[in-house]
Structures are given as C-alpha cells and as structure tokens.
Amino acid sequence: MADYVIETRNMSRAFKGFLAVNDVDLKVRRGTIHALIGPNGAGKTTCFNLITKFLQPTAGSVLLEGRDITRTPPARVARLGMVRSFQISAIFPHLSVAQNLRVALQRKLGTSFHFWRSARSLAVLDDEVAALLDRVGLSAFAAIPAGELAYGRKRVLEIATTLALDPKVLLLDEPMAGMGAEDISRTAALIRKVAADRTVLMVEHNLSVVADLSDRITVLQRGRILAEGTYDQISTDPAVIEAYMGSGHG
C-alpha cells in the first residue's frame, strides 16, 4: 500500500489566466491528520476542490492510494473512499437527525434513491444509525429536525453523514468555522476520535485547533506551498510568520 494516501504532482488551476493553485506537490501520509492552512485567498479550498474532483486541474495530477484520479468524477472518488465536507453545512433541515444519517447509510443497501421503499425495509439500518449517533454525541437529538440544531451540532451532523459513507480519507473544509469555544472543543475531540482509523486532511483557520490536532501542516501562500512540517516547525518559520501569522487572518 502507498505510504501517501493523497498525493498531488505539479497540481495547478488557472481561472481566466489567474493561477489560484500553482504547481502544488502535496503528500498526505496514511493514518495522519494533515492540515492545510494559509491566509484568505491562499488557494486552500481550491486545492480541496481539485483533490476531490469538483474542479479539474489545469495541469498536474492527483493520486489516491497511488491511483491516478485526475479525471475521475467526484461521485466515483467518493466511492473509492475519499469523502469531504463543505464550508457551508449540507444537511436536510426538515428531516430528523436520525433520518439524515439513515439517508447517508442507505448507500450500502443500494437504495439511496428508492423513496418508495417501505420504512420497514430500512429498519436494518437502525442499529447503525444509533451507533453513529452515539459516536458523534448526537443521541439526545435523534428525533429533532436537523434544521433546529444549534450551528455547532449541525456541523457535527455533517461530519457524521460523511462517516456514514465509511471513508478511508476524510477531507474537512473549515470544520470549526463559526463555532464557539464549547463546540470547537467537542468537534476537535470528534475529529481526533474518527482519525484513529482513517486519514484526515483539513482546511482550518483556527491555529489552536491546528496545533492541537495536526501531525503535519502545509502552508499555502498565493497558491503555492510556502512551508511544511510540524506545528513547532512552521510556527517558527520567518516566512510563515510574515505571510500567515502576521497577516491578521489567523
């Protein structure tokens, strides 16, 4: 098995002549939490979109477990085991929390879009739904419409729905955005827990979270890799201090 679960080689993306991502070589080692950080406009989310195939690179390639997925559609990439979250929480607000997870779990049954199936046919998922709710700390909210959850718990529910797909690799785009201290602590603990048996790549602005969770950090600036290493290494790098930590975008 490849040492690197995700690898990009000379990955670039231009928009009308502007290079949003420029010649990025990223390597994410199996079983680690790898953070992608940088000032606003550094190209972090564009990198995410390129890796998960929501965008195609202008040049370069993307590999998943050594397999070239540069031209692979995003749905196929998800079936290969790489699943992502988004900056804006994506849930079904009028369905209950448990029903949101059941929809995600239906993929295993091959009935994701068979809405005419009886509720009884989905009862086999009840134990999995309950276990997943317990794992992410949402058991007490199972029957509540997802739209009524507090913001932090909506973000946790979104992470739970990605876990329902049983990914090998989980990409989290600013999972702590807009959260208060209590929700940040709860979500960080959840990420640490789910990373025990999978690889996590995350974009995150909260440097305290990055320092606490990350095994390795890649710093982007103007679409290029500026530095890479542990938090101790990058936090004392003069170029990083000037470009990122002194930028007011931490």
Side-chain angles (χ1 to χ4, degrees):
M1 299 177 72
D3 288 338
Y4 299 107
V5 177
I6 299 171
E7 186 175 357
T8 69
R9 297 174 180 171
N10 309 114
M11 185 177 71
S12 300
R13 173 68 191 202
F15 295 96
K16 297 182 179 179
F18 170 70
L19 273 173
V21 172
N22 189 359
D23 204 28
V24 167
D25 291 329
L26 178 68
K27 294 181 178 180
V28 179
R29 192 175 292 276
R30 184 182 307 279
T32 62
I33 300 178
H34 193 125
L36 195 60
I37 70 172
N40 288 335
K44 304 181 297 294
T45 295
T46 302
C47 276
F48 254 43
N49 288 334
L50 291 167
I51 291 169
T52 54
K53 312 316 306 140
F54 286 84
L55 284 175
Q56 287 295 335
T58 305
S61 57
V62 182
L63 285 76
L64 176 63
E65 296 191 307
R67 172 179 180 167
D68 192 325
I69 60 166
T70 308
R71 302 299 169 191
T72 305
R76 174 65 178 155
V77 169
R79 286 194 291 271
L80 289 173
M82 183 161 64
V83 179
R84 67 167 293 178
S85 71
F86 294 85
Q87 289 181 8
I88 299 172
S89 188
I91 58 172
F92 296 107
H94 301 298
L95 295 181
S96 72
V97 171
Q99 287 169 335
N100 267 267
L101 294 185
R102 186 175 287 112
V103 169
L105 286 166
Q106 275 183 253
R107 178 178 294 276
K108 294 181 181 180
L109 301 183
T111 61
S112 299
F113 301 104
H114 295 183
F115 298 114
W116 59 86
R117 291 289 184 94
S118 70
R120 188 179 307 163
S121 71
L122 302 179
V124 294
L125 299 176
D126 288 349
D127 288 345
E128 287 185 76
V129 169
L132 192 49
L133 285 169
D134 180 64
R135 186 177 189 188
V136 300
L138 290 177
S139 296
F141 306 93
I144 294 175
E148 295 181 11
L149 289 175
Y151 177 77
R153 288 196 168 93
K154 286 179 183 176
R155 298 292 289 176
V156 169
L157 175 58
E158 185 185 2
I159 293 173
T161 59
T162 62
L163 291 176
L165 301 176
D166 196 23
K168 302 174 188 175
V169 189
L170 184 60
L171 283 78
L172 303 174
D173 195 357
E174 297 193 27
M176 312 297 180
M179 287 188 183
E182 183 179 345
D183 285 331
I184 287 174
S185 177
R186 182 186 301 116
T187 305
L190 172 60
I191 292 171
R192 186 180 291 107
K193 182 191 296 186
V194 302
D197 55 358
R198 56 180 51 83
T199 305
V200 175
L201 174 63
M202 67 177 184
V203 167
E204 182 53 55
H205 276 295
N206 188 316
L207 292 182
S208 295
V209 170
V210 170
D212 182 45
L213 290 179
S214 303
D215 298 300
R216 194 156 187 86
I217 301 163
T218 299
V219 185
L220 289 181
Q221 182 190 28
R222 300 191 184 99
R224 286 184 173 272
I225 292 179
L226 178 65
E228 188 169 291
T230 65
Y231 184 81
D232 287 343
Q233 290 170 331
I234 67 102
S235 65
T236 56
D237 186 313
V240 175
I241 293 169
E242 180 182 353
Y244 184 86
M245 296 181 182
S247 68
H249 293 292

